[in-house]
Structure formats: C-alpha cells, structure tokens
Amino acid sequence: MGDKANAHPGAAGRATAADHPASVRNVVLVGHSGSGKTTLVEALALTAGAVNRAGRVEDGGTVSDYDEIEHRQQRSVQLSLVPVEWDGYKINLLDTPGYADFVGELRAGLRAADAALFVVSASDGVDGSTRMVWEECAAVGMPRAIVVTHLEAARANFEEMTRICAEAFGGDDPDAVLPLYLPLHGPQAPDGHAPVTGLTGLLSQKLFDYSSGERKETEPGEDLLPGIEEARNRLIEGIISESEDETLMDRYLGGEEIDFKTLVEDLERAVARGAFHPVLAAAPAAEGARQGLGTVELLELVTGGFPTPFEHPTPGVTTIDGKPREIKACDTEGPLVAEVVKTASDPYVGRISLVRVFSGTLRPDATVHVSGHGLADRGHEDHDVDERIGALSAPFGKQQRSLTHCIAGDLACVAKLSRAETGDTLSAKDDPLLMEPWEMPDPLLPLAIQAHSKADEDKLSQGLSRLVAEDPTMRLEQNQDTHQVVLWCLGEAHADVALERLRSRYGVQVDVVPHRVSLRETFADRSTGRGRHVKQSGGHGQFAICEIEVEPLPGGSGIEFVDKVVGGAVPRQFIPSVEKGVRAQAVKGVATGHQLIDVRVTLLDGKAHSVDSSDAAFQTAGALALREAAADARIHLLEPVAEVSVLVGDDYVGAVMSDLSGRRGRVLGTEQTNGGRTLIKAEVPEIEIGRYAVDLRSLSHGTARFSRSYARHEPMPAQIAERIREEARAAS
C-alpha cells in the first residue's frame, strides 16, 4: 500500500484487456459536485503514465473530455470510465456526477464497481447526500476509502477534516476511519498559508516529498517523530482491532513491536472486507510535474487494499422464465453474464454500451442475447432479442482503444448494440439469462412537452425512445387523461439535460408546457335528464328517446348502470346501447372535459321506433341524457390525492411538516428510523406537489427523500375548481 517500502515509479502505457480477474480493480469515485473527483481521476491517470504532462492522451484528447452538454452545465452529468494501469494491475476508475439530479449515474457506477473512493473537499466538508451514499455502500458491505482534496484552499485543515469524516462515516466506531498519512507543509507564505508539499507515512514513518514534481522518499528528522506518534499509535490500534489474528492486540498492548509487513497485510485485509476506511490526501500535479501529491499512495491503496472482482458477489441471476440460476463469481470460463451499466450515443459510431462482465468472456463480433425486464413502468418494455455485437474498446477521453476480449470482472465499451438499454443483461444466445436490476431512483418531477413544429413531431417519438433507453431514471408517460407527453425527471438539471439531448443529439426541438394532473368530475346530488335524438333526412331516419336518473356514489365506485325500464319502452336490444353512450360521455366529461366517476345512472323510460331506432341512435340519446342531467346539477371537480412518505433528518422535520401543511396536506403520522431520521406520512393533493422534488431538496439541503403513490380522488376547494372551470370555458 502507500506505506510500502518501494513505491512503483509509475507505469506508462495504455489500458489493455486484463488477462486475469485478480489483476483488475473497479473503483467508483463518489462525492458532491465540486469536490474534485474528475481532477483526481486526471491526476491518477498522469501518475500512472496514461496521459502526458499536459494532461493529454497519447493519441489525442484529454482524459476529461466532456461532451457538449457538460461544457454548458459546467459539471459532470454522466458516468465516465477511465482505465489506467499501475504496477501490473488494470484499474477501472468510474467517475460519477456529484449533483443529486444524476444519482442514477451514481447508482450505475456503484453497480459496476467493487470498491468506492469518497472524495471530500477540505474546504466544503461532508454533505448530507454523500452521507446517504456512504450508508448505501455500508448496507452492501462495499469497501470504502476517503480522499481529502483542495488542501491548497485557505483555512483547509486535513486533521479537522479527518475528524469530521470519522464523525460522519464512522458511526459507532470512529476508529474505523483514520488517516494513513499526515500532510507535510512547506514554508509559510506571507498570507499565513503553508502549502502541502508531501506526506508523512504513519506506519513506515517515512516522508514522501512531492515538492520537486515527483515523489521522493526520505527519512524524517528527529523533530518530526514526536508529532506523528499519537496518530501512529491510534492507527495501529485501529488496524489491530480489525485483525483476524486475535492475539495481535494482546501482543501490542504487552509492548511488542508489530512488524511493518504484518500491519500492512492486516490493513489491506480490513480495507478489502469493508471494516476499515483509510483517509488519504491528494492534489493534482503542479504545472510541469509528473505526479500529483498523494496519487502514488492512492494507487497503491487501490491495488493492494481494494478487493478483486472475485470478492464481488454476483447479483441475482435467473433464466428468462424466472428460475434461479447459480453463477460462480467471476468465472472467466463460465456462462456469459454481463450487464449494460450505461448507454450513450456517438455521432459516428452510433449507440455505445458500457458493460460490466460478471461471468464468462465477451468477444467482439459475437452474437449475444439481450434481455431487459422489470422497467416497463418507466417506458422500457420487456424485451428479449439476439444481437451481434461490434468492436470492444476501452474509452479514454473521446478516444476508443480496441480490445481483443473482456473477461469476467472487467469493463468494456460495446458498439452496435442497437436494442440494448441501460440495465439490460447480455448472455449467450443459447443460454439466455437475466440479472436482477439494481435499484433505480424514482423520477418525481414531471416535465410536460410538445413538439415545437410538425417536423419535430415526426421525430419526437423516436427521440424520446432513444432518450429513455440511455437513462432508466427517466420515465416516459403518454397520459391518456390529459393527452400530454410527460417526461418524469429527478430534478431541474436532469430535465435541462434531457431537453438538450433531444435537441443536440436527436434533432428534436420541444416546448415545455404546464403539467396537468388527471382531474375527475362527479355529481354532487341527484339529477334527471332526457336524451332525445330524432332525425329524418330521407330513407331511414334516427329515433331514440331515453330518460335517466343520476345519483352520486361513494368514492371508488366508478360508473354503475341500472336498467329499470318497464313495458318495453326501450327494446331490450337497445338498453346496452344506452349504457354504451352513457359510458362514452362519462369518459369525455360533462362539465370541464374531465372523466366522470362515482355515479349510478338508472335508465327509467324511453321511446323507440320500429324502423328508425338503432344502436347508434340510442348511444347518442344516452350521451345527450347524461349531458342534460349534468346541466341541472351541481358538479364536483375531483383532484387526485397522493400518499406521500418523506424520510428526513430530524433537524428538518418541523420545516417539512409545515411545508406539507401549506400544500393542503394532511399529516397522517411520523415514525422514528435509524440514523437520526424521521419518516413522515401525509396525504397531499397532487396539484400541490408538482415541484416537490425540487422544493424538498432545497428545504432539507439535499438530505431528504420522498415517495408518492395515488390514494384517491376527492373534491377540490371551490375557488380552485371555479378557476379551472373558467379556464375550460375560455379554451372551448
């Protein structure tokens, strides 16, 4: 690890296909926006020799080449893979967006990785969303380490940030979060700030000086040893407490000096099984330098302390018909099981799929089975299809470097998978399998759109289907009640990126329109109506008369039709025609154009003609009768009410409950949960929570989550209902 006696000077070269899973490390970088994740990836690539001192890839482009949208957003909006080589290992660095709107990309990175680096800015600290991701990783036992960046900032304090991380991430055991190194400061500047020029290894008690632009190992002066003694002793105790050798602590407390090799091996084992979380410091290389501060130590931690893909349990696998299938973890000779963790479009190559192989070996030009199940509610229909894949490659900036194969445990980009979507499973065509999908965040911000022009309308359907194929956190809804096309997104930034991708990638210009909820109508009291449809225009005429009574029913009753005709006033064959006409009119509405529900319609009487009566005539008469009954009755406008569950930190409970009340919400109860959080359950009209995904994030500083489900329709306040009626009259 970073305290090993002989640090590797840096492995120049390019990312190639891994030869064995044991030589692969898959690492996801996690942290809030602006914490320095992408800068850290660039620094690691420079130290590993994958880019030159200007930060450029050997054959053109830079490791951080963003797409056009990211340039405009001024932040990462998608998962990116940067493979580097170090000391004979292939390290797949998965850089994730830090902004909450792109948590779907983060979840994909967690799925593809075997360990996580949490990047924390010394100037910003640890935010609530980063804590929540830490808890997600802890729940599945993912190994984690912490990297403190921005040490050059004014008032940056590594020791204080380490203490904050121990409080935020250590839980009941703060000694499980400890630094492996302490910063070495250079001469103090006139402003009082002393730049960090190197690191002091707490285990090896050696200095690693980066002031020349390359890491140089030296012995510390006697004056420095007392300063690191307390931190070193605490680190050793933390490592020994996680050791599998139960005698080690007694020997240490008895005064025995534990040798360096034993400490490093125990440290690596504790990190790999997720029991110990080392804190390191890192900074990008200065101009003209070859190595950034702490990058060698970080690469050695990744290769020595992070687990191999063998230690990553394979997610649940079944056959296409749902029968469980036992798959040996990371078996390169086993059945092919791979997963699409990201889908992107390239203007020259077409669709490119980033794939993690969990079993078997993937080769170019092979025919694979593509399975996608379980996301139909988000516009991703279940599908099973055989496809011939194209070339395999490793990305680096905007370059794609060809691979001859991709073994279990490794990641690669696959071209020409035209039907594959993010979350799909790739398997052998003669042995089709399906992986259990990872948990996707529920998109709760509606974005109603319409084509800008006739030309855009012709391209809209295809553009939307490609958009949701790339992003499973987005849900496409064709609302049959409001006749709107709605993209459900995770937040405003997510929505902005969706619109920009429609425009720039798929050439579709759309307009955003106000989102409408699915209202309903019902009768407030009993009413009667008479439908008379009598026409004579040569040949057979049209004759149908019916009389009905309408009365309200309890919520959830729907439309009930009752026949009370006596004496054959309406012939039996035409009674279903009346019902059909009534139900058709109910769907269209009787007052504001919204569907009529929860009424009983009773057919009382009518008249027919032996020649001119027909099915169509009585359908029309039934519809006319319902409209006449509505004209003489009070019609209630019903709004949908959602059952909302909000999980929020205890510090924000009062503010959230007050906000819900201001949205005409009814709080049903609260429940204490683990981690100092409260679950609030409430019922809120859907018209009041259209932007709740955005407002709740602001209210809770990004720490709260909520879910919603339809509860029922109920009468809306008179003043709101009257406004909607006026809008309906103005539009008609």
Side-chain angles (χ1 to χ4, degrees):
M1 204 172 284
D3 263 337
K4 290 176 182 175
N6 296 308
H8 191 280
R14 57 176 65 235
T16 59
D19 296 322
H20 193 275
S23 66
V24 178
R25 298 292 184 273
N26 298 310
V27 182
V28 61
L29 283 82
V30 178
H32 65 79
S33 185
S35 61
K37 297 184 298 298
T38 302
T39 302
L40 178 59
V41 169
E42 293 174 344
L44 292 172
L46 176 63
T47 296
V51 296
N52 60 29
R53 294 186 182 184
R56 300 196 66 81
V57 182
E58 180 182 334
D59 46 359
T62 68
V63 67
S64 60
D65 274 336
Y66 301 117
D67 68 13
E68 180 183 352
I69 296 172
E70 289 182 315
H71 272 300
R72 279 193 288 273
Q73 290 274 332
Q74 293 295 302
R75 59 183 164 217
S76 298
V77 301
Q78 59 186 351
L79 174 71
S80 62
L81 168 64
V82 177
V84 300
E85 288 189 345
W86 178 259
D87 203 16
Y89 293 90
K90 180 184 179 185
I91 306 173
N92 290 315
L93 299 170
L94 292 152
D95 186 11
T96 64
Y99 197 63
D101 277 16
F102 308 103
V103 66
E105 302 282 328
L106 168 62
R107 296 273 176 86
L110 292 174
R111 176 70 160 216
D114 304 315
L117 282 176
F118 278 73
V119 183
V120 177
S121 169
S123 58
D124 296 332
V126 181
D127 68 339
S129 60
T130 303
R131 295 176 194 235
M132 293 169 74
V133 178
W134 181 277
E135 291 172 6
E136 285 187 33
C137 293
V140 297
M142 176 175 279
R144 286 144 284 154
I146 301 156
V147 185
V148 179
T149 59
H150 298 162
L151 291 172
E152 73 283 358
R155 299 185 301 279
N157 187 315
F158 178 81
E159 288 78 8
E160 174 64 13
M161 185 51 57
T162 300
R163 184 191 65 77
I164 292 172
C165 288
E167 289 181 357
F169 302 139
D172 297 333
D173 185 12
D175 284 342
V177 179
L178 294 171
L180 294 184
Y181 306 88
L182 294 180
L184 183 66
H185 294 274
Q188 193 173 61
D191 62 0
H193 180 67
V196 178
T197 58
L199 300 170
T200 303
L202 293 180
L203 291 184
S204 64
Q205 300 186 83
K206 295 183 182 297
L207 300 185
F208 304 103
D209 184 6
Y210 283 87
S211 60
S212 67
E214 289 194 35
R215 181 183 191 254
K216 294 182 178 178
E217 181 182 317
T218 62
E219 296 291 333
E222 291 294 326
D223 57 322
L224 292 178
L225 292 178
I228 66 172
E229 192 65 26
E230 180 181 350
R232 183 175 189 271
N233 289 339
R234 189 179 178 193
L235 173 62
I236 292 174
E237 289 177 10
I239 295 171
I240 291 175
S241 67
E242 300 295 340
S243 175
E244 296 175 351
D245 184 350
E246 297 179 357
T247 68
L248 206 57
M249 180 63 78
D250 292 336
R251 289 158 50 196
Y252 175 73
L253 294 177
E256 180 180 336
E257 183 71 24
I258 308 301
D259 68 275
F260 176 75
K261 181 181 178 183
T262 299
L263 289 173
V264 170
E265 289 175 349
D266 278 347
L267 172 61
E268 290 177 344
R269 282 192 289 267
V271 171
R273 69 174 187 268
F276 186 81
H277 315 292
V279 184
L280 297 91
E287 185 176 352
R290 196 176 70 82
Q291 294 176 336
L293 183 140
T295 54
V296 172
E297 289 75 14
L298 193 50
L299 288 167
E300 290 185 341
L301 169 69
V302 168
T303 56
F306 279 175
T308 70
F310 286 113
E311 299 165 74
H312 186 138
T314 302
V317 178
T318 65
T319 60
I320 299 302
D321 55 4
K323 295 178 181 177
R325 180 72 176 273
E326 197 71 31
I327 298 295
K328 185 179 177 182
C330 216
D331 182 3
T332 58
E333 302 300 324
L336 177 63
V337 181
E339 187 171 37
V340 179
V341 294
K342 175 180 171 57
T343 309
S345 295
D346 184 277
Y348 304 105
V349 181
R351 184 174 294 185
I352 298 177
S353 304
L354 177 60
V355 171
R356 160 81 190 244
V357 180
F358 287 92
S359 174
T361 300
L362 190 63
R363 302 186 186 279
D365 302 318
T367 299
V368 298
H369 184 82
V370 181
S371 301
H373 295 248
L375 293 174
D377 62 328
R378 302 195 180 197
H380 303 258
E381 294 183 359
D382 290 354
H383 54 275
D384 289 288
V385 63
D386 290 340
E387 280 200 88
R388 184 182 177 89
I389 66 174
L392 300 183
S393 60
F396 212 87
K398 291 183 177 179
Q399 303 296 319
Q400 294 289 333
R401 295 168 171 171
S402 295
L403 298 176
T404 58
H405 60 278
C406 182
I407 62 171
D410 203 358
L411 291 98
C413 288
V414 181
K416 296 184 179 180
L417 277 175
S418 60
R419 296 288 301 277
E421 301 180 357
T422 302
D424 281 1
T425 303
L426 307 184
S427 55
K429 66 176 182 177
D430 55 353
D431 187 14
L433 299 171
L434 182 67
M435 293 187 73
E436 178 185 354
W438 67 84
E439 181 184 353
M440 304 284 186
D442 196 12
L444 295 168
L445 179 69
L447 183 72
I449 59 174
Q450 63 185 24
H452 182 70
S453 66
K454 181 64 172 68
D456 294 310
E457 191 172 333
D458 295 337
K459 297 182 290 185
L460 181 59
S461 178
Q462 185 181 37
L464 288 173
S465 65
R466 290 181 177 178
L467 187 68
V468 297
E470 292 183 15
D471 188 353
T473 64
M474 192 172 293
R475 178 161 58 89
L476 176 62
E477 176 191 8
Q478 305 274 356
N479 194 300
Q480 300 302 314
D481 294 321
T482 64
H483 306 292
Q484 285 188 316
V485 176
V486 183
L487 279 175
W488 288 85
C489 306
L490 294 173
E492 289 181 307
H494 193 208
D496 290 343
V497 168
L499 295 177
E500 184 60 25
R501 282 177 176 163
L502 278 176
R503 184 194 66 79
S504 60
R505 290 186 182 178
Y506 308 122
V508 183
Q509 189 77 32
V510 298
D511 298 322
V512 178
V513 297
H515 175 250
R516 301 193 297 268
V517 300
S518 299
L519 303 179
R520 296 288 186 267
E521 301 171 347
T522 194
F523 279 62
D525 43 35
R526 190 186 304 266
S527 181
T528 60
R530 184 172 188 264
R532 183 177 185 275
H533 183 63
V534 179
K535 289 187 177 181
Q536 187 70 43
S537 56
H540 284 300
Q542 299 180 53
F543 188 97
I545 298 174
C546 62
E547 297 178 5
I548 64 171
E549 180 184 71
V550 185
E551 56 186 317
L553 292 176
S557 300
I559 302 291
E560 183 180 323
F561 185 85
V562 178
D563 168 27
K564 286 190 177 181
V565 174
V566 294
V570 177
R572 307 308 303 171
Q573 70 268 29
F574 294 134
I575 290 175
S577 303
V578 177
E579 180 179 0
K580 190 174 181 180
V582 166
R583 291 187 180 277
Q585 185 62 52
V587 170
K588 297 177 183 177
V590 293
T592 58
H594 299 288
Q595 184 177 345
L596 178 71
I597 60 172
D598 300 336
V599 294
R600 177 185 292 121
V601 179
T602 304
L603 178 60
L604 301 173
D605 201 359
K607 292 182 180 180
H609 189 276
S610 60
V611 175
D612 293 341
S613 291
S614 65
D615 170 63
F618 272 99
Q619 284 190 47
T620 303
L624 289 170
L626 185 61
R627 294 211 297 267
E628 183 177 290
D632 297 330
R634 289 187 303 119
I635 303 297
H636 276 163
L637 202 56
L638 307 178
E639 62 180 342
V641 175
E643 186 174 297
V644 175
S645 297
V646 185
L647 185 63
V648 61
D650 292 344
D651 293 343
Y652 302 104
V653 168
V656 169
M657 293 179 66
S658 175
D659 179 71
L660 288 171
S661 298
R663 297 172 187 269
R664 299 190 284 126
R666 296 182 292 272
V667 176
L668 304 178
T670 61
E671 177 184 333
Q672 288 296 123
T673 65
N674 295 331
R677 293 195 182 96
T678 298
L679 181 65
I680 304 172
K681 292 189 175 182
E683 291 182 344
V684 191
E686 287 189 10
I687 202 170
E688 300 287 349
I689 55 173
R691 289 182 51 82
Y692 194 56
V694 177
D695 298 338
L696 179 63
R697 184 179 299 165
S698 174
L699 193 65
S700 66
H701 294 229
T703 61
R705 298 177 181 174
F706 85 103
S707 62
R708 55 184 280 184
S709 60
Y710 170 77
R712 63 186 173 278
H713 274 77
E714 62 181 36
M716 61 170 36
Q719 66 273 20
I720 300 177
E722 185 56 35
R723 187 184 75 239
I724 292 175
R725 289 190 181 96
E726 290 177 0
E727 292 173 355
R729 285 193 289 267
S732 61

